[in-house]
Amino acid sequence: MAISEYLESRKNIAGSVCGLVGLGMTFTGVAGPYWPVVVAGLYGAGALIAPPERPPLPDFPDPSAQLEELRGDFDKLGGYLAEVELPPAAAGRLTELTELLGALLDPGWSGELLAQDPEGVHTLSRTVRQDVPEAVDTFVRTRWWTRLAPGQESPERHLERQLTLLQEEAERLAAGLRETEARRQESHTRYLEDRAN
C-alpha cells in the first residue's frame, strides 16, 4: 500500500481520531508523563479496530455493452449458419428463429428494453452463443452417423424440435418485453389521469 493510500485509509483515520483523544487526555492531565505512550497506544488501537478497506467492485460491462458484443457474435453465427446445409423444414424453422433473434437484438427500442433486463440478455446470449450452434453442429455430426446406421430416430426431427423450443423461448422473451412496454404505457396514462384530477 502506498503512503498516500495509507494516509487516506480507514485505519489511519480511526487511529488519528483515537490519537487526538490521547492528546486531549494529555492536555487535561489524565495521561501524565506517559503521554507519548498513551497517544501511540490509542493510535494503534484505533488502527486495529478500524473496519478493513473494501476492495473496489470489478468493472463488468453493462448490459448495453454486452448487447453490442452479442450483436457481433450473432453476425458470426449467421456466417456459420450460411455454410450449413439443412433440410427444408429445419432451414425454415431456423430462418424464423434467426429473424426473431435479429429483431430482439436490433439496436432500436428492443435493445433499450433488453439493456434493462439482464436475464433477457443472458437468455439471448445463451441462445446465440451456445444453443443454436450446438443444435446445428450436433445435427450435422449425427446426420453423418445416421447414414452409416439407418433405422434410428431422424436427426432432422431432433433439430426441428430443438429449434421450436428455442423459438418458443425467444417468443416468451419478446412477449415479456412487449408486456413491459404495455405496463409502462398504462402507468403513464394513470399518471396523466391523476395529474388531471
Side-chain angles (χ1 to χ4, degrees), residues 40-58:
L42 284 174
Y43 175 87
L48 286 174
I49 62 169
E53 294 293 324
R54 276 187 19 226
L57 289 171

mmCIF file of all heavy atoms in Angstrom, residues 40-58:
data_model
loop_
_atom_site.group_PDB
_atom_site.id
_atom_site.type_symbol
_atom_site.label_atom_id
_atom_site.label_comp_id
_atom_site.label_asym_id
_atom_site.label_seq_id
_atom_site.Cartn_x
_atom_site.Cartn_y
_atom_site.Cartn_z
ATOM 1 N N ALA A 40 0.348 7.045 21.258
ATOM 2 C CA ALA A 40 0.720 5.989 20.305
ATOM 3 C C ALA A 40 -0.142 4.754 20.500
ATOM 4 O O ALA A 40 -0.576 4.118 19.522
ATOM 5 C CB ALA A 40 2.197 5.633 20.455
ATOM 6 N N GLY A 41 -0.408 4.404 21.747
ATOM 7 C CA GLY A 41 -1.253 3.235 22.034
ATOM 8 C C GLY A 41 -2.670 3.430 21.525
ATOM 9 O O GLY A 41 -3.260 2.511 20.940
ATOM 10 N N LEU A 42 -3.219 4.622 21.758
ATOM 11 C CA LEU A 42 -4.574 4.884 21.270
ATOM 12 C C LEU A 42 -4.612 4.919 19.735
ATOM 13 O O LEU A 42 -5.579 4.461 19.127
ATOM 14 C CB LEU A 42 -5.112 6.193 21.851
ATOM 15 C CG LEU A 42 -5.550 6.110 23.322
ATOM 16 C CD1 LEU A 42 -5.917 7.485 23.851
ATOM 17 C CD2 LEU A 42 -6.723 5.155 23.474
ATOM 18 N N TYR A 43 -3.552 5.467 19.130
ATOM 19 C CA TYR A 43 -3.498 5.456 17.664
ATOM 20 C C TYR A 43 -3.495 4.006 17.160
ATOM 21 O O TYR A 43 -4.230 3.642 16.247
ATOM 22 C CB TYR A 43 -2.255 6.187 17.141
ATOM 23 C CG TYR A 43 -2.121 6.082 15.636
ATOM 24 C CD1 TYR A 43 -2.760 6.991 14.806
ATOM 25 C CD2 TYR A 43 -1.391 5.059 15.042
ATOM 26 C CE1 TYR A 43 -2.682 6.887 13.423
ATOM 27 C CE2 TYR A 43 -1.307 4.933 13.667
ATOM 28 C CZ TYR A 43 -1.943 5.856 12.859
ATOM 29 O OH TYR A 43 -1.875 5.745 11.494
ATOM 30 N N GLY A 44 -2.634 3.164 17.758
ATOM 31 C CA GLY A 44 -2.552 1.755 17.359
ATOM 32 C C GLY A 44 -3.865 1.021 17.586
ATOM 33 O O GLY A 44 -4.306 0.233 16.742
ATOM 34 N N ALA A 45 -4.528 1.289 18.719
ATOM 35 C CA ALA A 45 -5.809 0.632 18.998
ATOM 36 C C ALA A 45 -6.852 1.055 17.970
ATOM 37 O O ALA A 45 -7.627 0.230 17.467
ATOM 38 C CB ALA A 45 -6.273 0.973 20.403
ATOM 39 N N GLY A 46 -6.882 2.338 17.619
ATOM 40 C CA GLY A 46 -7.834 2.819 16.613
ATOM 41 C C GLY A 46 -7.578 2.187 15.258
ATOM 42 O O GLY A 46 -8.519 1.812 14.547
ATOM 43 N N ALA A 47 -6.297 2.061 14.906
ATOM 44 C CA ALA A 47 -5.962 1.447 13.622
ATOM 45 C C ALA A 47 -6.355 -0.028 13.597
ATOM 46 O O ALA A 47 -6.767 -0.547 12.560
ATOM 47 C CB ALA A 47 -4.472 1.604 13.335
ATOM 48 N N LEU A 48 -6.261 -0.701 14.749
ATOM 49 C CA LEU A 48 -6.617 -2.116 14.799
ATOM 50 C C LEU A 48 -8.127 -2.357 14.741
ATOM 51 O O LEU A 48 -8.574 -3.340 14.162
ATOM 52 C CB LEU A 48 -6.051 -2.755 16.073
ATOM 53 C CG LEU A 48 -4.541 -2.997 16.067
ATOM 54 C CD1 LEU A 48 -4.083 -3.501 17.432
ATOM 55 C CD2 LEU A 48 -4.165 -4.001 14.989
ATOM 56 N N ILE A 49 -8.902 -1.458 15.355
ATOM 57 C CA ILE A 49 -10.349 -1.694 15.384
ATOM 58 C C ILE A 49 -11.069 -1.137 14.158
ATOM 59 O O ILE A 49 -12.257 -1.373 13.973
ATOM 60 C CB ILE A 49 -10.999 -1.118 16.659
ATOM 61 C CG1 ILE A 49 -10.833 0.403 16.723
ATOM 62 C CG2 ILE A 49 -10.442 -1.779 17.895
ATOM 63 C CD1 ILE A 49 -11.660 1.062 17.803
ATOM 64 N N ALA A 50 -10.357 -0.397 13.315
ATOM 65 C CA ALA A 50 -10.992 0.183 12.125
ATOM 66 C C ALA A 50 -11.451 -0.936 11.191
ATOM 67 O O ALA A 50 -10.791 -1.965 11.070
ATOM 68 C CB ALA A 50 -10.018 1.093 11.400
ATOM 69 N N PRO A 51 -12.586 -0.744 10.527
ATOM 70 C CA PRO A 51 -13.030 -1.767 9.564
ATOM 71 C C PRO A 51 -12.045 -1.863 8.404
ATOM 72 O O PRO A 51 -11.412 -0.875 8.031
ATOM 73 C CB PRO A 51 -14.394 -1.257 9.096
ATOM 74 C CG PRO A 51 -14.413 0.194 9.411
ATOM 75 C CD PRO A 51 -13.489 0.400 10.568
ATOM 76 N N PRO A 52 -11.905 -3.048 7.858
ATOM 77 C CA PRO A 52 -10.954 -3.217 6.750
ATOM 78 C C PRO A 52 -11.414 -2.458 5.506
ATOM 79 O O PRO A 52 -12.592 -2.181 5.327
ATOM 80 C CB PRO A 52 -10.949 -4.722 6.503
ATOM 81 C CG PRO A 52 -12.263 -5.190 7.021
ATOM 82 C CD PRO A 52 -12.626 -4.281 8.153
ATOM 83 N N GLU A 53 -10.455 -2.155 4.660
ATOM 84 C CA GLU A 53 -10.770 -1.490 3.391
ATOM 85 C C GLU A 53 -11.507 -2.461 2.488
ATOM 86 O O GLU A 53 -11.189 -3.647 2.446
ATOM 87 C CB GLU A 53 -9.475 -1.033 2.694
ATOM 88 C CG GLU A 53 -8.720 0.043 3.443
ATOM 89 C CD GLU A 53 -9.447 1.370 3.517
ATOM 90 O OE1 GLU A 53 -10.130 1.736 2.545
ATOM 91 O OE2 GLU A 53 -9.368 2.012 4.565
ATOM 92 N N ARG A 54 -12.489 -1.939 1.797
ATOM 93 C CA ARG A 54 -13.223 -2.754 0.826
ATOM 94 C C ARG A 54 -12.536 -2.641 -0.517
ATOM 95 O O ARG A 54 -12.283 -1.536 -0.990
ATOM 96 C CB ARG A 54 -14.648 -2.236 0.681
ATOM 97 C CG ARG A 54 -15.589 -2.746 1.701
ATOM 98 C CD ARG A 54 -17.035 -2.338 1.435
ATOM 99 N NE ARG A 54 -17.303 -1.919 0.087
ATOM 100 C CZ ARG A 54 -17.995 -0.829 -0.219
ATOM 101 N NH1 ARG A 54 -18.485 -0.066 0.709
ATOM 102 N NH2 ARG A 54 -18.212 -0.506 -1.473
ATOM 103 N N PRO A 55 -12.264 -3.774 -1.149
ATOM 104 C CA PRO A 55 -11.692 -3.679 -2.498
ATOM 105 C C PRO A 55 -12.752 -3.137 -3.460
ATOM 106 O O PRO A 55 -13.947 -3.352 -3.246
ATOM 107 C CB PRO A 55 -11.317 -5.118 -2.846
ATOM 108 C CG PRO A 55 -12.136 -5.965 -1.936
ATOM 109 C CD PRO A 55 -12.417 -5.149 -0.707
ATOM 110 N N PRO A 56 -12.328 -2.435 -4.487
ATOM 111 C CA PRO A 56 -13.318 -1.900 -5.433
ATOM 112 C C PRO A 56 -14.021 -3.027 -6.180
ATOM 113 O O PRO A 56 -13.443 -4.086 -6.434
ATOM 114 C CB PRO A 56 -12.488 -1.039 -6.386
ATOM 115 C CG PRO A 56 -11.097 -1.582 -6.270
ATOM 116 C CD PRO A 56 -10.964 -2.121 -4.878
ATOM 117 N N LEU A 57 -15.282 -2.791 -6.502
ATOM 118 C CA LEU A 57 -16.050 -3.783 -7.256
ATOM 119 C C LEU A 57 -15.452 -3.938 -8.656
ATOM 120 O O LEU A 57 -14.961 -2.966 -9.229
ATOM 121 C CB LEU A 57 -17.501 -3.334 -7.381
ATOM 122 C CG LEU A 57 -18.318 -3.379 -6.099
ATOM 123 C CD1 LEU A 57 -19.669 -2.708 -6.323
ATOM 124 C CD2 LEU A 57 -18.512 -4.804 -5.641
ATOM 125 N N PRO A 58 -15.504 -5.151 -9.199
ATOM 126 C CA PRO A 58 -14.993 -5.322 -10.561
ATOM 127 C C PRO A 58 -15.841 -4.537 -11.555
ATOM 128 O O PRO A 58 -17.050 -4.376 -11.366
ATOM 129 C CB PRO A 58 -15.108 -6.828 -10.809
ATOM 130 C CG PRO A 58 -15.977 -7.359 -9.738
ATOM 131 C CD PRO A 58 -15.992 -6.384 -8.620
#
